[in-house]
Structure formats: structure tokens, C-alpha cells
Amino acid sequence: VFLIAAGVLGGFYFYREYKIFGLLFSFFVFFSTILVEYLGVQYGLFFGHYFYNPDFGLYIADIPLTIGTAWLMVIATTHALVKPMALVVKQPFFQWIIYAIVGAFAAVIMDLILDPVAANVKQYWVWHGDGLYYGIPFSNFVGWFFIALTLHALLWLGVRYLKRTKSYHPYWHSRMVLLYILMIAMFSIIAFINNIFFAPLLTIVLMSALVWVYKRTRRSQ
């Protein structure tokens, strides 16, 4: 319920910010990430070899529907966070590049705390094999980066086409940034309670740096 609610908030933000394009992009994120996750579970592509716990919500083709809404939350919150940073650059092509790369890094930062808690504490999914970072393979973070990079790159192209790169919804934009912070805070608290310390500390430090840059760029604009 929590992940579905977070995804609905992300979709509503996209709709309020970009109208029908935002709604269509939200559906695209939802269905495309479920497809990617399906390929990951069936063939070990993108992330590594893993499977989902049968108790993790409603399923479609062996993939929980909540995964699609979770990805929608990730892309919506990182979009709101990184968009002002890209606009510091004047040249449109480099805006696009910076936005997509930093947006992908912002998504990976969230996964640095999400995956250790979800896999090791809650056991929403189980990894085959071991990785140096709480048993999570490095390929998972590489997969997160390139999938988020692709989705952000497509989103920015659409926003540029609509000539809405400089628009900010006065209510929803700041609340998406807050949702990014609160999501990391919640998973960090769960990690600390369960004696996981390095992951939340690393994530909080990296998130704080991103939020600091976000606030500096918003003030300048």
C-alpha cells in the first residue's frame, strides 16, 4: 500500500507538471519497468539473478505490481530533485546530459539503502549469489543506473519538446523532493533498527550533498 501510494503521488506530480504527457509518461514508466524486471527475474538481465517473495503484493507475470509504482516514485522524485541542477547549464544538449546522468545517480543513491533493507531485512526479494555490498551484486546498481538514465533521458526530451523545462508546479515540485528525502529517511531508520549502519550513513551523506546542490540552484533561479 505504501509503495503504491508513493507511485500514485509520483504520477500525480507528473500530471500536474506536464498534463497529458506526464500522465502518459507515468504509464510508460510503470509498464516498461515491470517488463524490465520480468526480464531480470526470468533471464538475469540488467540487475543479476534474483526472485521476488510471493507475499510481496499483487503479481503480473511473476513481478509484483508494486515494483512499477516504486519505479514511478523513484523517477518522479529524482526528476524534481535534479531538474534545477540541469538548468544551471545554458546549452540545451548539456542540460540533457547532466540531467540524465545526475538523475540516474540520484536513483542509485536511493537504492543504496532501499535494496539492503528490502532484500536483507524485509526479504521482499532474494538474490542468487553474493555481492560485496550486503550480498547485493554490483550489476544491480549498474542496472539501476542505466535504466534510470534511459527513463530520465526520454523524459527530458519530452519536457523539452513541450518547452516546459523551466516550469515548476508551486505545490508538487517541492513535495516530490521531500518524498525523496522521507523515503530514504524511512529506510534508513529501518536499517539502523536492524543493525545495518554503513548503508544508511553512506546514503544520507550522498543524499545530503544532492539536496544541498538542489537548494543552492533553486535559490539562484
Side-chain angles (χ1 to χ4, degrees):
V1 171
F2 172 76
L3 289 176
I4 291 172
V8 168
L9 287 174
F12 196 73
Y13 159 68
F14 277 140
Y15 172 72
R16 295 292 288 173
E17 187 97 325
Y18 305 119
K19 303 306 178 187
I20 204 68
F21 169 77
L23 185 63
L24 293 174
F25 184 77
S26 297
F27 282 112
F28 174 75
V29 171
F30 178 81
F31 288 109
S32 64
T33 52
I34 286 180
L35 174 61
V36 166
E37 294 277 355
Y38 173 79
L39 295 174
V41 168
Q42 295 296 322
Y43 306 106
L45 300 176
F46 308 113
F47 308 105
H49 293 279
Y50 63 104
F51 66 90
Y52 284 102
N53 189 315
D55 297 328
F56 192 30
L58 298 173
Y59 274 66
I60 179 171
D62 296 327
I63 304 299
L65 292 177
T66 44
I67 291 300
T69 59
W71 268 105
L72 181 54
M73 175 274 299
V74 170
I75 299 302
T77 56
T78 52
H79 169 73
L81 182 65
V82 174
K83 182 178 178 180
M85 305 179 197
L87 294 178
V88 173
V89 181
K90 301 302 180 183
Q91 214 284 334
F93 175 76
F94 290 109
Q95 282 182 355
W96 180 48
I97 297 297
I98 290 172
Y99 165 79
I101 292 175
V102 180
F105 273 117
V108 172
I109 288 171
M110 182 179 285
D111 193 45
L112 289 174
I113 187 61
L114 191 155
D115 228 294
V117 171
N120 297 337
V121 178
K122 298 298 183 179
Q123 296 182 333
Y124 291 147
W125 54 83
V126 178
W127 290 102
H128 295 297
D130 295 319
L132 294 177
Y133 189 79
Y134 298 98
I136 303 163
F138 182 71
S139 58
N140 171 68
F141 301 107
V142 175
W144 263 70
F145 178 85
F146 282 105
I147 289 165
L149 180 78
T150 301
L151 291 173
H152 279 299
L154 293 174
L155 175 57
W156 192 259
L157 288 176
V159 171
R160 275 187 58 193
Y161 177 78
L162 296 173
K163 299 180 180 179
R164 298 289 300 276
T165 55
K166 295 182 180 180
S167 64
Y168 295 96
H169 192 279
Y171 183 89
W172 283 102
H173 183 92
S174 60
R175 278 158 179 79
M176 283 297 104
V177 176
L178 179 61
L179 181 59
Y180 180 84
I181 296 170
L182 290 177
M183 186 70 64
I184 288 175
M186 183 193 73
F187 276 90
S188 296
I189 290 170
I190 296 172
F192 282 127
I193 291 173
N194 288 274
N195 299 315
I196 297 175
F197 300 109
F198 177 71
L201 290 173
L202 174 63
T203 307
I204 289 170
V205 168
L206 295 174
M207 177 200 71
S208 299
L210 267 182
V211 172
W212 180 81
V213 175
Y214 165 79
K215 289 185 175 181
R216 288 291 299 271
T217 52
R218 283 295 281 145
R219 283 197 204 103
S220 67
Q221 292 164 4

